[in-house]
DNA sequence: ACCCCGACTGGAAACGTTTCCGATCACGCA
DNA sequence: TGCGTGATCGGAAACGTTTCCAGTCGGGGT
């Protein structure tokens, strides 16, 4: 930068001000500095800038399952608005319990970022403490973290939409395939989505039959297993509500293999509106995933600019009826 | 750090050496310094460290399609080995042509990283120039970039495995659904995978029928369209080779909807071994995606530690036969 | 007993910005 | 004409490390 200043015939102080768009710099001076910088193809050193300035211009994004569509899409949305704002994204993938422990213990992002975004995972109390010890802004998206400014869907509402749809079709024996995160043994299956099932059945005056609920680790293969278990019941359901589309895909696979017709012999509904759902002709409750990412990004931006953005933002879900649901066979 | 040094009763120079594991520090001294650091829960300032040291400890990862399984999985693998090595991952998603132009023009990663990893995308000549002007190491993974140390599969070999499988089943009319990247209009469909098709047919003494090749933008829906087009031929193929599993899923959807049986009426083979392929019972050529990411990471690590790692690494693919292929109906 | 050497440590100069604090200067107003 | 005022700019002190360059000190070889 000294070179630039010299070439523009100003002091470093002025050069710095001109380059970072400070007020109180004469237009002509600024022009000269910018021209000089251009000619020397000068690029500011972020390290030095941050050292002197205080902020890092970076945001840590913590994500538990990078290769799953939901998380990757969330990240996609988030990254796009952060990039727009010239913030860099530091990616931390905490795949399994070990990674997770390590991340919260060592806090590799400490001192490296201005904020942390937690994508689609609950944060335990001890973890929250560690996170807060970093002294930066924290935002959550796509999960059920109420302790921070967050963006998320209403899982209860989503589940209700799915189950009510089946009830409206006059199904009376409805199974649920609940999915737990395989890498976090401690956590229960998505509580909102489970509760919605029980509440909707109760509201319809239907008896609760624990045998109709199967809980499996998340994933397509598990969904297939779960469906097999439901089929082996003395009196199988006529419809199945899966916690997510991927799980539903597994269920469909089992049904096909068993020679059952969808929706003739069994209706299936999922949650997510995974891109593959359209191809699988799956009725599902759509949630705007990418938008949750962008909304979280904007939330973070306003936080960084000093706003006192309090609570969270709940985005709407909507039922998408396709060919996998129909009234039960008489 | 001054505090730590004082508390340990040493100079800052020594404290720095102790903390960064330099040789020539007495064991006892190091112990004292580390203890002091621990007590003060001291965390080094990366900015200052980088400023003085020269390296950044960061790696830029450029990826064109974050939410697609293939890229996300590649990234997953890469991130895991970089994290292991205590390198931070700076994520740059260049979704469309605009993003791309912007990235290579502004080079937002300049001066911020020690290396760049390009995931699954070809790099044009002009872009290569810009990239190299950053003066850092460059590694490619999952794509067909020969100009840099890379990790990738042999697309020709993969295509050959797929088409040969169909030929071995005695198919004589084999269609191909070629996929082009929708965000990069200039680039052709994967050349290796296309060439393999033509070569395999020629080797089997079959005539080339341009009508049997349909080129569509990448994606499931496009795959469905492409299949519809193939079905509308006067003499449709008895088997289809799709450039990727996702495209094959679309094709399957169309076939189902048309009431055709798989593999009875039509065999389908893809490339990738997408997690959903197992559920869709799709015969495919599996490629080790995550491993390509980790291999690229290790390649980069060795480069950063000064090795003269020349060319690239080609990882093997293997045919996975499932239920979507069978001999043609007589 | 003397010298050389290597292990260890300290002082201080970078590294490249931002920003505080004055200094200068032109200008409008009394 | 004298003076307050605000815009503009320069000097220099941070920011928190790493590392070069000496300097000290104990010990082994002769």
């Amino acid at each position: 930068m000294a070179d630039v200043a010299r070439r523009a015939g100003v002091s470093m102080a002025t050069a710095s001000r001109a380059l970072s768009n400070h007020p109180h710099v004469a237009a002509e001076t600024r022009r000269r500095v910018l021209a000089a910088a251009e000619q020397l193809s000068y690029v500011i050193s972020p390290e030095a800038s941050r050292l002197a300035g205080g902020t890092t211009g970076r945001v840590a994004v913590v994500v538990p399952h990078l290769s799953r569509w939901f998380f990757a899409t969330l990240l996609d949305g988030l990254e796009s608005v952060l990039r727009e704002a010239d913030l860099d994204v530091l990616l931390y993938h905490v795949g399994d319990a070990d990674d997770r422990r390590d991340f919260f213990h060592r806090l590799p992002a400490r001192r490296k970022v201005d904020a942390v975004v937690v994508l689609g995972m609950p944060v335990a109390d001890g973890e929250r403490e560690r996170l807060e010890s970093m002294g930066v802004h924290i935002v959550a998206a796509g999960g059920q973290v109420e302790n921070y400014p967050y963006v998320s869907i209403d899982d209860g509402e989503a589940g209700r939409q799915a189950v009510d749809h089946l009830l409206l079709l006059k199904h009376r024996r409805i199974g649920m395939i609940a999915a737990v995160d395989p890498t976090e043994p401690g956590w229960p299956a998505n509580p909102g989505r489970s509760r919605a099932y029980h509440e909707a059945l109760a509201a319809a005056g239907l008896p609760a039959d624990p045998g109709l609920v199967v809980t499996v680790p998340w994933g397509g293969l598990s969904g297939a297993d779960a469906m097999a278990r439901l089929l082996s019941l003395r009196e199988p359901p006529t419809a199945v509500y899966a916690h997510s589309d991927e799980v539903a895909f597994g269920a469909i696979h089992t049904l096909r293999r068993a020679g059952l017709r969808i929706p003739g012999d069994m209706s299936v509904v999922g949650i997510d509106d995974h891109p593959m759902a359209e191809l699988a002709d799956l009725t599902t409750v759509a949630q705007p995933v990418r938008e949750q990412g962008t909304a979280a990004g904007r939330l973070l931006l306003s936080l960084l600019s000093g706003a006192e953005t309090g609570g969270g933002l709940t985005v709407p879900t909507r039922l998408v009826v396709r060919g996998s649901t129909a009234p039960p066979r008489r």
Side-chain angles (χ1 to χ4, degrees), chain A:
Chain A
M1 175 149 117
D3 292 342
V4 174
R6 200 170 320 123
R7 187 182 191 108
V10 298
S11 74
M12 281 188 47
T14 306
S16 170
R17 279 188 284 254
L19 289 171
S20 39
N21 262 329
H22 270 268
H24 295 300
V25 172
E28 163 61 12
T29 308
R30 166 164 298 140
R31 203 195 48 67
R32 275 215 319 283
V33 173
L34 293 183
E38 174 70 21
Q39 284 175 23
L40 297 174
S41 73
Y42 160 82
V43 191
I44 204 167
S45 154
E47 319 298 341
S49 171
R50 304 322 188 183
L51 214 213
T55 67
T56 68
R58 270 172 251 134
V59 173
V61 178
V62 189
V63 48
H65 305 287
L66 208 36
S67 55
R68 286 195 204 162
W69 167 79
F70 176 79
F71 298 95
T73 304
L74 218 42
L75 178 56
D76 179 352
L78 176 63
E79 195 265 359
S80 75
V81 353
L82 294 184
R83 182 156 41 86
E84 190 80 20
D86 250 317
L87 289 171
D88 283 314
V89 171
L90 230 41
L91 184 63
Y92 293 97
H93 180 191
V94 295
D96 55 27
D98 279 349
D99 286 354
R100 190 163 177 148
R101 197 169 14 255
D102 184 67
F103 176 82
F104 285 105
H105 178 63
R106 289 190 24 240
L107 288 184
R110 187 159 35 167
R111 299 261 248 152
K112 292 184 191 162
V113 296
D114 298 332
V116 177
V117 181
V118 180
L119 286 190
M121 59 188 238
V123 177
D125 281 351
E127 296 173 338
R128 201 168 67 238
E129 225 167 82
R130 294 293 293 160
L131 220 47
E132 278 163 9
S133 79
M134 288 177 58
V136 298
H137 291 287
I138 302 173
V139 169
Q144 51 266 48
V145 182
E146 304 87 10
N147 317 86
Y148 302 118
Y150 68 89
V151 180
S152 145
I153 61 169
D154 179 340
D155 281 310
E157 173 61 17
R160 199 156 25 246
Q161 290 172 333
V163 179
D164 279 352
H165 171 61
L166 297 176
L167 288 170
L168 203 64
L169 291 171
K170 306 270 188 244
H171 285 278
R172 289 298 170 261
R173 269 189 84 68
I174 300 176
M176 169 165 81
I177 305 181
V180 299
D181 195 318
T183 64
E184 292 161 23
W187 302 93
N190 187 302
R193 299 186 191 180
S194 292
R195 190 154 6 90
Y197 167 80
H198 293 114
E199 289 175 1
L201 292 197
L206 295 177
D209 180 348
L212 287 176
V213 175
V214 183
T215 301
V216 292
W218 187 97
L221 263 12
S222 310
D225 288 350
M227 189 71 242
R229 255 190 279 166
L230 286 175
L231 286 182
S232 72
L233 289 179
R234 180 186 315 261
E235 194 183 351
T238 62
V240 185
Y241 154 54
H243 270 199
S244 90
D245 284 355
E246 270 109 328
V247 172
F249 295 145
I252 291 176
H253 176 67
T254 295
L255 292 169
R256 278 229 178 82
R257 185 154 277 211
L260 295 177
R261 316 279 308 188
I262 304 169
D265 299 315
M266 181 82 67
S267 286
V268 180
V269 60
I271 291 186
D272 274 353
D273 202 20
H274 189 287
M276 213 71 88
E278 186 167 1
L279 292 179
D281 213 14
L282 175 68
T283 294
T284 188
V285 176
Q287 62 166 318
V289 182
R290 195 169 190 284
E291 285 72 12
Q292 290 178 63
T294 57
R298 280 191 296 270
L299 191 56
L300 181 56
L301 255 33
S302 78
L303 235 40
L304 285 178
S305 65
E308 262 311 322
T309 318
L313 173 63
T314 300
V315 299
T317 54
R318 105 184 176 280
L319 181 71
V320 177
V321 180
R322 297 209 180 89
S324 70
T325 48
R329 162 159 309 160
R330 256 316 43 235

